[in-house]
Structure formats: C-alpha cells, structure tokens
C-alpha cells in the first residue's frame, strides 16, 4: 500500500505542491536567506503558510520571539488535523513512539487525501497509505524549494510568488468535489461568502474569523439536519 500511495501522489498532488514550493523557494532567495535554511525549513516544518510567515518576518528583521509566535499561530491549524487523522490511521500493532514522527507528515494535501481514502480501506493498510502519500509530497516540496531558489532570477517574481497560492486552491477543489460530506460543502460555501466581507473589516482577523464562524456554523447545521432525519 505504501507504493500504491506513492504512485498516486506522484501525479497532480506532488506537481501542485511542488509548484507551490517553487514560489516559496523564490521567496527564500528574495528575503536574503540561504538555500540550506530554506531546505531546512521545508524539511523540519513542512507547512507552507508558516514557512512564508517565517521568511517574510525574517526579511523585515523581526525578532526570533515574534517569528516563533507567528509561525506557531499560523501552524496551529495542524493540531486539529492531526487529532482527526490519527485515530483514523492508528494501527495497534505499530509502536506508539512512531506516531510522533508520522504526525510530522500531516499537511494539508496528505491529510485531505487520507481523510477521503482511508475510511474505505482496511485498518492495517491505512497508515502505510498515509506515509507513502505524504513522503512523496515531502520530497516534492524539497525539490520545489531548491528549484524555486535557483529560478528566482530567471522567472518574474510575480509568477514565482503566485505559485504559492496553487496549493490552497487545489486543497479547496479537493473538498469541493467531495459532495458526500454535507458539513464540508456548507463550510466551503459560507467561507467563500464571508471571507471577502470579513477581510474588508479586519485584514488581521478576517481569515481566522471566517474559518471559526463558517466551520462552527457548518458543524452545527450538519448535526441539526442529522438529528431531524434521525
């Protein structure tokens, strides 16, 4: 199952994520950071929004404390993702200590595909599927970082930096095509409507409020419909 998942990831998922990291690699070079620091960021953090925040704050000379807090807040979204995924892929035969490493592989694309595919699989193959899929994406991100750093002077900055937004769009499309889950559809719809509006009121808190309100409303609406049907 590890190899099957790896082959699935080699296609569009790794291309989109790798292209996003091409934009990140360009941003690393523009900020004055070295290639090895950019690669270490991808190797150790592997969370594009947090990495972008790190590089941008580094570029403006922010303190280490400010950078650490910004990255921690940006990557806080990974905690609920890990909490929802780990029970799904947990295998009692696998030592617990390994899951500390596997949790590092939790990222948006790997999480989204695993949440869709794993419920249909036998429990003993879910973990190998997730690890195989995520490992290929991790390697694609490292390659994309290096390529973006090398192409920073050869490709217009607007193009390379625009690639950063490919992965969030791809992530949204993954869930938009999965109409079996009512709560996800409601959350995406509410987020699309509320996001631009709340952003005009607060550039700092608009996105966070959109996620909190839309997600909570979708969860509540889904529970309410389920109770009435039950």
């Amino acid at each position: 199952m590890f190899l099957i998942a790896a082959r699935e990831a080699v296609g569009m998922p790794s291309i989109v994520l790798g292209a996003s990291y091409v934009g990140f690699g360009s941003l690393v070079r523009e900020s004055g950071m070295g290639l090895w620091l950019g690669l270490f960021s991808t190797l150790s953090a592997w969370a594009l929004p947090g990495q972008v925040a790190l590089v941008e704050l580094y570029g403006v000379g922010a303190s280490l404390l400010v950078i650490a807090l910004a990255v921690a807040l940006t990557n806080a979204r990974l905690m609920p993702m890990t909490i929802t995924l780990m029970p799904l892929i947990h295998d009692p035969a696998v030592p617990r200590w390994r899951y500390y490493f596997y949790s590092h592989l939790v990222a948006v694309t790997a999480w989204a595909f695993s949440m869709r595919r794993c419920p249909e699989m036998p429990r003993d193959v879910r973990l190998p599927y997730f690890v195989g899929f995520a490992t290929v994406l991790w390697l694609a991100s490292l390659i994309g970082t290096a390529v973006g750093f090398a192409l920073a002077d050869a490709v217009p900055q607007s193009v390379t930096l625009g690639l950063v937004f490919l992965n969030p769009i791809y992530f949204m499309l993954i869930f938009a095509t999965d109409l079996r889950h009512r709560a996800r559809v409601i959350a995406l719809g509410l987020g699309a409507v509320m996001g631009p509006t709340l952003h005009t009121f607060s550039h700092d808190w608009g996105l966070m409020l959109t996620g909190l309100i839309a997600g909570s409303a979708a969860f509540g609406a889904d529970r309410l419909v389920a109770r009435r049907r039950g």
Side-chain angles (χ1 to χ4, degrees), residues 19-186:
S20 299
Y21 270 88
V22 169
F24 172 72
S26 175
L27 183 63
V28 168
R29 185 163 180 173
E30 293 293 332
S31 68
M33 291 179 65
L35 173 60
W36 293 111
L37 287 176
L39 289 173
F40 180 74
S41 170
T42 302
L43 182 68
S44 59
W46 198 39
L48 190 55
Q51 291 178 254
V52 171
L54 182 153
V55 172
E56 289 186 341
L57 289 172
Y58 173 86
V60 298
S63 67
L64 180 61
L65 177 61
V66 171
I67 294 175
L69 289 174
V71 173
L73 290 173
T74 304
N75 290 341
R77 62 195 168 84
L78 297 174
M79 182 176 68
M81 292 167 59
T82 304
I83 291 174
T84 56
L85 178 63
M86 285 301 161
L88 184 65
I89 64 175
H90 181 262
D91 185 348
V94 177
R96 179 175 296 182
W97 63 267
R98 292 187 183 180
Y99 288 95
Y100 291 100
F101 170 74
Y102 296 146
S103 63
H104 177 68
L105 297 175
V106 176
V108 169
T109 306
W111 176 83
F113 271 85
S114 297
M115 292 295 292
R116 290 183 61 190
R117 295 293 307 279
C118 287
E120 303 170 355
M121 300 177 180
R123 179 165 290 276
D124 61 335
V125 301
R126 293 177 184 178
L127 183 59
Y129 176 88
F130 165 72
V131 175
F133 197 96
T135 299
V136 171
L137 296 183
W138 197 13
L139 294 175
S141 301
L142 288 168
I143 294 172
T145 301
V147 171
F149 190 91
L151 295 179
D153 294 333
V155 180
Q157 184 181 19
S158 58
V159 175
T160 54
L161 295 184
L163 293 173
V164 173
F165 295 96
L166 280 179
N167 195 50
I169 295 173
Y170 183 58
F171 171 70
M172 182 185 70
L173 293 176
I174 292 173
F175 279 129
T177 56
D178 189 7
L179 301 179
R180 296 172 299 172
H181 298 278
R182 181 172 50 240
R184 296 177 186 176
V185 177
I186 296 173

